[in-house]
Amino acid sequence: MYLNEDYRGMGRQKPVKKLKGLAHFFAAATYSFGGAKRLLGEAAFRHELGAFAVAMIAFAITGASFFQYVAALVLFLLMVAFEALNTAIEEIVDRVSPEISEMGKNAKDLGSLACLCMILANAGYVAYVVIFSHLFGI
């Protein structure tokens, strides 16, 4: 599609050698930690992290069960995954389409909607555990 190979990032570089076994595990872990470091640069993620800490304090005060902590952790990890994917979408759109385009806007808006759904799921669960389950006994 492109005549200029350098434009695609495929200049004269040698292909990357695939690691196997334990080396692959450590390389993958390094990439994951790099992603976590990048995600910490996002204000939205830092807000979500702070909200999770507040929720855990509220769980401790209200005496949440072990299962409720586990469910909250699973929901939070899903929110982290959604936030990471949303950030990846935003980075790709900004790289591929630096000008403002309807398609780029739609991609970013859909990623944002996915994050909002996870935020609402987390907030709803925390409200249920803290307010309805422990304070009202529902």
Side-chain angles (χ1 to χ4, degrees), residues 12-35:
R12 307 251 186 255
Q13 299 172 353
K14 293 181 181 179
V16 176
K17 184 179 177 184
K18 297 286 185 177
L19 299 174
K20 295 181 180 173
L22 198 55
H24 172 76
F25 173 78
F26 286 113
T30 301
Y31 302 145
S32 296
F33 285 122

Side-chain angles (χ1 to χ4, degrees), residues 14 40 42 81 83 105 128 134:
K14 293 181 181 179
L40 279 170
E42 291 292 314
E83 191 64 50
K105 179 186 178 314
Y128 165 75
H134 291 287

Side-chain angles (χ1 to χ4, degrees), residues 36-114:
K37 183 179 175 184
R38 168 62 186 88
L39 200 55
L40 279 170
E42 291 292 314
F45 176 68
R46 291 192 306 273
H47 295 152
E48 293 161 357
L49 196 58
F52 180 70
V54 169
M56 291 301 97
I57 292 168
F59 274 33
I61 291 171
T62 58
S65 70
F66 176 74
F67 172 76
Q68 290 170 326
Y69 277 102
V70 170
L73 179 63
V74 169
L75 275 173
F76 176 70
L77 290 174
L78 281 169
M79 185 168 57
V80 170
F82 275 62
E83 191 64 50
L85 290 172
N86 181 49
T87 300
I89 289 168
E90 290 177 351
E91 294 234 350
I92 290 169
V93 167
D94 290 346
R95 171 77 167 119
V96 173
S97 178
E99 72 283 350
I100 296 175
S101 69
E102 190 66 23
M103 188 181 302
K105 179 186 178 314
N106 290 340
K108 287 183 170 188
D109 288 351
L110 289 167
S112 181
L113 173 63

